[in-house]
Amino acid sequence: MISWSFIPWILQIPPLMCAFQISECYFSIKDFRHDGNVMIGAFFPLHYYYTIKKIPHKFLPNHYEDFYLQYKFKNYQFVLALVFAIEEINRNPHLLPNTSLGFDLYNIPFIEKNTLTNAFIWLTGMNHFKVNYNCKEKQTSAAALTGTSFAISAHIGTLLQLYKIPQLTFGPFDTILDDQAQFTSLYQMAPKDTSLSLGIVSLMLHFKWTWVGLLLTDDHRGIQILFDLKEEMRKNIVCMAFVEMISGTLASFSDNFWKSVGRIQDSSANVIIIYGDTDSLHGLVKNIGQKLTTGKVWVMNSPWDVTNHFDYFMLDSFHGSLIFSHHYEEMVDFTHFIQTVRPSKYPEDTYLPKLWHLFFKCPFSRIDCKLLENCQPNASLDLLPKQNFDTAMSEESYYIYKAVYAVAHSLHEMILKQVQIQQYDNGERIKFLPWQLHPSLQNIYMNNHVRSHMLTHMKFKLDSKYDIINFWNFPKGIGLKVKVGSFSPNAPPGQQLSLTTNLIQWPTRFTEIPKSVCYKLCGPGLRRTVQEGKAACCFDCTTCPYNEISNETADMDHCLKCPESHYANTEKNHCLQKTVTFLHYEDPLGMALSSIALCFSTITASVLVIFVKHRDTPIVKANNRALSYILLITLIICFLSSLLFIGQPNTATCILQQTTFGIAFTVALSTVLAKALTVVIAFKVTFPGRLMRWLMISRATNYVIPIFTLLQIILCGIWLGTSPPFVDQDAYAQHGHIIILCNKGSAIAFHCVLGYLCSLALGSYTMAFLSRNLPDKFNEAKYLTFSMLVFFSVWVTFLPVYHSTKGKVMVAMEVFSILASSVALLGFIFAPKCYIILLKPDKNVFHGIRDNTHYGRNNLN
């Protein structure tokens, strides 16, 4: 049995090219029947004629000499489903006892203008029919089965409803056929595709396919599914690369048709949705197969007949397609039934011999076109290649099976009612009119569409769930349809779609899950941004913002922000650990600032030594040498206090930084203020006696320094008591580093301390400015003025610069301001005095004061 499953490719002989060469019996076609008390008319698309060169026939109008016959052997399963259902019902003693079902089988031609021919033959019983004549004698017609095209069902339905004959369709559900006002006798076995668009879009989202093409039938069904798909795609940001509405008529083979095929091939969309029935898009599907369009993933709404008999390529354009099919239980009994089918078992069947002749090389008898006996006795339909015939029940076959049972149950219910009113005796043949089945059929139809009927009789039901089928056809000829998932619209959100991705075989062009987007995939370090003026699914790739990454997953809409302890590398695809740092002494900047602080503190100490050594000289004594000593000692502290800002901060250094800085500079500025007051009092206030003048000067200097210093100490105490400075981290000042520094705690307190110092500097500047024109032999008023001006300028400039910098630069800026203001005080106040003491000792004499005082008074006069 296994060896037959891979029949050599030579068995797949194209039936159209070699029919006349094999046997004329191959072209002998006639409709056949299966006898019964009650007959069902079956109209199935089993074969059609077509022309290639369109050579007009010499005698017959609207005919061609180069007519070719094409059998649709895959549709032969429809016949077997009909036979299987009828035989199963006839064997059932509890369903239609004493009544047998039969059928009349007719082919549906490909050309719609000939559709009603066989329908009239079935109604009248005459090959050369006459309208309203009925030559049937024994059989009673109960219903008709039509499909798969809605157009065929609509044409036949228009005729049958005149006779009120029930019509059951096994094609896809159609809204026009559902119009009870127009088709009063028609019942559709297929459920509505209310959730198909949601299922397709859910599949798109699962694989992140946001750029897809649409091939739809150019009719009301195509317009409706287009509306539904647009709505679902809009909600889920899936965009349409193109929409092609394809006509299902022969006019489709036009320039526009071939342009559509070209647009499909040239489109950047790798996923294309096809919606329609097999008949409507037959030409398009056939030409796609011939052109070997293998670079597309086709998402379909039904298991198309995509078999192409016209080539021997191992590639198939539809390999890897995904098909949405209504869920139904697999029927094992039907598969077993197919294995028993033989031409000898059904001698009235005119299609079975052709299958045996074509695939098993069984010859025809020249007398009656019957197969010769004992040809391939072990041959079976399940040995045929799946691309030619599939033994698993298809969706349409299931609808046929279901339709037959619906007719049987309706007929059974009507017979029971007739028995109850004793309309005929047991031996009498059943008599009824077809329209009498409508009440029962309507109940079955309505209950079936709410999915609550025939469960006990039919043992399974069709629900709203879709099976997702993957079509395997590589190498060409395998023709397997494998269930890879399902879609349940009634399931909770997020659980509706279920897929086994590792079972899916993709088209041969793809080695992994295909991508279908209208942009280049954004790799690590990039993120997607919407392109202006284009569809919402089209993106540009832009670099991730500062300190954000997109990792190996790639193709991200948003970059991920690195934690504060990490930073993004230059490629923006990894977060790296930041280095902890601070303004330490090994830094060039820290080393330079600490060197300057130590150097100037040494210079200040040297100046103090000079002043102490020359303490009795007039220039030292002239401006209160005690204040000079205090100022020099304070400046040494100021220089050294800058070292508290360098090195790894801790709680103690953070508190000492601000308090030492504030108090030391308060003492220094208070001393300068006292010096300025000394000059003003010495030259502006007149008291009798030198002793009184000395007392007043001493009293002023004694109270200025402690009072202003005490106020600053109180202010610092409030600062430390409410929101003291603390150790903090700055993760953003320097890329790749975490700066450890001291947080001021209270910015208001810090600015109050700084404002207090600037107020003292401004007061000292005012005092010094008032005494700038006094006799200046040893008058330091001008130097005090310049020092305060520089001090004030340094700290006023410090504020905007300080707030515009971060990290170590901000700390270095504060250190620089401390050093600069300290150097200004040291340079402007003490440099001129040291110059006189060390280089001009001849001017450091008392009579110089007197001479200069006299000179000043003469000038004043």
Side-chain angles (χ1 to χ4, degrees), residues 73-358:
F73 286 125
K74 296 192 81 170
N75 289 353
Y76 181 68
Q77 192 189 89
F78 301 164
V79 179
L80 297 181
L82 176 64
V83 174
F84 174 69
I86 287 179
E87 289 185 353
E88 195 176 67
I89 292 170
N90 288 341
R91 290 194 305 266
N92 189 348
H94 304 290
L95 185 61
L96 292 178
N98 302 322
T99 301
S100 63
L101 287 180
F103 66 85
D104 291 306
L105 181 66
Y106 298 92
N107 178 64
I108 294 178
F110 184 71
I111 302 176
E112 294 178 1
K113 68 180 181 180
N114 297 329
T115 298
L116 297 180
T117 301
N118 286 335
F120 273 113
I121 294 175
W122 177 66
L123 287 172
T124 63
M126 298 183 293
N127 289 331
H128 302 286
F129 54 84
K130 294 181 179 180
V131 180
N132 294 329
Y133 279 79
N134 188 352
C135 295
K136 295 182 179 180
E137 296 180 358
K138 297 181 180 180
Q139 291 84 8
T140 302
S141 298
L145 303 181
T146 62
T148 57
S149 169
F150 101 94
I152 297 296
S153 296
H155 287 311
I156 297 177
T158 304
L159 174 64
L160 295 182
Q161 70 179 358
L162 298 176
Y163 301 90
K164 296 185 179 180
I165 297 177
Q167 177 188 1
L168 295 88
T169 67
F170 58 90
F173 186 89
D174 192 274
T175 54
I176 289 183
L177 298 180
D178 198 42
D179 185 359
Q180 293 298 313
Q182 184 177 358
F183 299 98
T184 57
S185 302
L186 189 146
Y187 306 92
Q188 298 187 74
M189 295 295 103
K192 295 181 180 180
D193 283 327
T194 53
S195 302
L196 180 61
S197 58
L198 176 61
I200 292 176
V201 173
S202 298
L203 182 70
M204 303 295 111
L205 295 177
H206 178 81
F207 291 114
K208 298 181 179 179
W209 294 334
T210 58
W211 188 243
V212 298
L214 268 67
L215 292 178
L216 311 174
T217 52
D218 191 10
D219 53 23
H220 63 283
R221 296 169 299 163
I223 294 173
Q224 181 61 46
I225 195 65
L226 177 61
F227 175 80
D228 295 340
L229 285 172
K230 277 186 175 181
E231 186 66 20
E232 291 296 334
M233 289 180 175
R234 182 188 60 81
K235 294 178 183 177
N236 297 280
I237 316 182
V238 178
C239 300
M240 299 178 185
F242 62 86
V243 178
E244 292 294 334
M245 308 298 289
I246 306 298
S247 174
T249 64
L250 288 177
S252 64
F253 298 94
S254 61
D255 292 339
N256 291 332
F257 172 81
W258 293 111
K259 289 179 181 178
S260 298
V261 176
R263 278 192 287 268
I264 294 170
Q265 292 177 315
D266 298 336
S267 174
S268 60
N270 290 326
V271 177
I272 298 176
I273 300 170
I274 301 181
Y275 181 85
D277 55 49
T278 306
D279 295 334
S280 299
L281 297 182
H282 173 77
L284 176 67
V285 173
K286 183 175 68 174
N287 282 280
I288 289 175
Q290 288 179 332
K291 287 182 175 294
L292 286 178
T293 311
T294 58
K296 306 294 182 182
V297 178
W298 308 95
V299 179
M300 307 178 183
N301 69 304
S302 62
W304 295 70
D305 181 8
V306 295
T307 306
N308 186 0
H309 295 282
F310 296 94
D311 64 70
Y312 300 95
F313 292 107
M314 293 184 67
L315 298 177
D316 181 21
S317 297
F318 294 94
H319 169 70
S321 300
L322 295 172
I323 303 165
F324 277 80
S325 174
H326 287 285
H327 173 73
Y328 55 91
E329 299 295 332
E330 183 180 359
M331 296 191 66
V332 180
D333 292 342
F334 178 71
T335 304
H336 293 162
F337 165 76
I338 286 181
Q339 294 173 352
T340 65
V341 172
R342 301 285 189 280
S344 58
K345 184 178 179 180
Y346 300 100
E348 72 278 6
D349 192 332
T350 60
Y351 287 93
L352 267 178
K354 296 174 177 58
L355 283 168
W356 253 252
H357 175 75
L358 180 64

Side-chain angles (χ1 to χ4, degrees), residues 623 675-685 767-782 849 852-853 855-857 859-860:
N623 295 104
K675 278 180 166 290
L677 287 173
T678 301
V679 176
V680 172
I681 293 174
F683 291 94
K684 291 292 185 180
V685 182
M767 289 288 99
F769 183 79
L770 293 176
S771 59
R772 69 188 186 284
N773 291 323
L774 297 177
D776 58 357
K777 175 64 178 180
F778 296 123
N779 181 15
E780 57 183 355
K782 289 184 179 181
I849 299 175
N852 195 70
T853 302
Y855 173 77
R857 287 177 180 175
N859 287 339
L860 291 174

Side-chain angles (χ1 to χ4, degrees), residues 80 112 182 285 317 323 342 386 411 414 439 469 481 527 536 578 586 604 672 679 723-724 792:
L80 297 181
E112 294 178 1
Q182 184 177 358
V285 173
S317 297
I323 303 165
R342 301 285 189 280
K386 289 186 178 296
L411 188 60
M414 186 195 67
I469 309 298
K481 287 178 284 186
R527 63 184 176 95
K578 288 183 178 181
E586 288 77 14
T604 307
V672 173
V679 176
S723 181
F792 189 79

Side-chain angles (χ1 to χ4, degrees), residues 393-428:
M393 180 175 274
S394 67
E395 190 174 339
E396 292 86 353
S397 297
Y398 168 71
Y399 297 149
I400 294 172
Y401 178 88
K402 179 180 171 184
V404 174
Y405 261 91
V407 173
H409 280 285
S410 300
L411 188 60
H412 184 81
E413 183 178 337
M414 186 195 67
I415 293 174
L416 289 179
K417 290 180 180 179
Q418 290 182 355
V419 170
Q420 290 174 359
I421 60 176
Q422 298 180 350
Q423 289 187 354
Y424 66 93
D425 298 329
N426 289 336
E428 185 179 356

